[in-house]
Amino acid sequence: PLAPGEGITAQSGAFERDPQESSTTDEELSRAGSPGSRGGGGSSTTPDYGEKRLPQALIIGVKKGGTRALLEAIRAHPDVRAVGTEPHFFDRNYEKGLEWYRNVMPKTLDGQITMEKTPSYFVTNEAPRRIHSMAKDTKLIVVVRNPVTRAISDYTQTLSKKPEIPTFEVLAFKNRTLGLIDASWSAIRIGIYALHLENWLQYFPLSQILFVSGERLITDPAGEMAKVQDFLGLKRIVTEKHFYFNKTKGFPCLKKPEDSSAPRCLGKSKGRTHPKIDPDVIHRLRKFYKPFNVMFYQMTGQDFQWEQEESDK
């Protein structure tokens, strides 16, 4: 069993990548690295000179944690250039080779950091070894949020694309009567952060991994971005003045640079209304995740207070 006090049957194939995640096409990637594309860097007005380099920092996860919000915010920094689309190199396109990967990247000048984000890397068994073999000093960023709300958000995204899928309650259990959680369902599996982190710690020291709170990215974006900039060795340029709170969406939006007053919010797909989930199912999921959360807090040396957050409700 994966957790004390819960009967779980997770097959050996349970921790493979999520087939529900949308693919980034080669065409999108070639556009991302092309001159003048917004996908190419921190600002659409950045001149197209410099050279393409392999990324020195990666946002490796997690799906529905807040990785897009983090990427958009860090791209506001003049010393960061990042691909807007997800290259999926270390999970789906690895056989294309490092030159293909380098070519997808935007051009950078000396002193600028090249970045990309692909949230499925965190749950891909081969990703840590492959990234380590590219550059063992690569800096890794993981955005995590309460695994119960993350699972519901994941399900909500899938439901918007496939309205015919079963209910969350049906998918979450192997056996509802016995309370057996189905840990092989990707929406549940991704949130077992301690399990996935073990895989990364075989190749990277904790000092090379930054854990960003998806919750604090909403309540205090500037505070979380200060940590990200410090971790990347950047001057703190992305601050409070870059954000304003959008009451309709329920999370912060990024203001455009000084030359434009129009803010940039995340797309329509962000901030979807979650379906109402049976409170008993939520209770069982909290109980299921609790030992893993505690283990994750111990491994990272950070308490994300997910249990406290739930007892406040």
Side-chain angles (χ1 to χ4, degrees), residues 37-244:
S37 82
R38 232 195 89 235
S43 162
S44 54
T45 57
T46 305
D48 192 54
Y49 44 79
E51 61 180 277
K52 295 190 176 205
R53 296 175 172 91
L54 291 168
Q56 299 99 314
L58 302 170
I59 300 171
I60 58 171
V62 300
K63 184 185 178 191
K64 307 310 294 177
T67 58
R68 170 59 59 184
L70 175 61
L71 183 75
E72 291 298 331
I74 199 62
R75 284 169 80 190
H77 198 293
D79 291 335
V80 171
R81 302 215 66 208
V83 187
T85 44
E86 295 172 7
H88 283 281
F89 177 65
F90 295 104
D91 57 351
R92 300 180 201 168
N93 292 309
Y94 196 62
E95 73 289 345
K96 292 180 178 171
L98 283 171
E99 274 313 300
W100 175 88
Y101 188 44
R102 187 198 304 271
N103 203 45
V104 166
M105 297 299 142
K107 288 182 177 178
T108 52
L109 303 173
D110 288 342
Q112 286 184 317
I113 292 175
T114 305
M115 287 182 71
E116 69 113 323
K117 77 118 179 159
T118 304
S120 50
Y121 290 163
F122 189 62
V123 297
T124 300
N125 288 333
E126 304 80 16
R129 176 179 52 78
R130 289 171 172 177
I131 293 168
H132 187 267
S133 72
M134 172 187 76
K136 62 180 187 296
D137 57 352
T138 304
K139 291 185 176 183
L140 308 169
I141 300 175
V142 188
V143 190
V144 287
R145 71 191 278 203
N146 186 315
V148 178
T149 49
R150 197 222 66 82
I152 296 168
S153 180
D154 198 334
Y155 171 78
T156 306
Q157 181 182 44
T158 307
L159 186 66
S160 71
K161 296 172 187 169
K162 302 175 185 172
E164 73 286 354
I165 61 168
T167 64
F168 182 88
E169 287 84 346
V170 166
L171 293 168
F173 290 96
K174 276 206 182 300
N175 184 316
R176 178 80 187 265
T177 315
L178 296 175
L180 296 179
I181 301 287
D182 188 354
S184 68
W185 181 33
S186 65
I188 303 280
R189 185 188 75 237
I190 291 170
I192 308 174
Y193 304 138
L195 192 76
H196 306 303
L197 181 57
E198 268 181 352
N199 194 20
W200 289 88
L201 293 178
Q202 290 175 36
Y203 293 89
F204 294 94
L206 212 47
S207 58
Q208 265 172 251
I209 310 173
L210 178 70
F211 299 93
V212 173
S213 163
E215 286 83 12
R216 286 198 295 270
L217 206 49
I218 292 170
T219 59
D220 179 21
E224 286 301 286
M225 291 312 298
K227 292 179 199 167
V228 172
Q229 290 168 98
D230 290 352
F231 174 71
L232 295 173
L234 297 168
K235 191 177 168 194
R236 289 188 185 181
I237 288 175
V238 181
T239 58
E240 293 84 9
K241 68 177 190 290
H242 285 78
F243 301 96
Y244 83 98

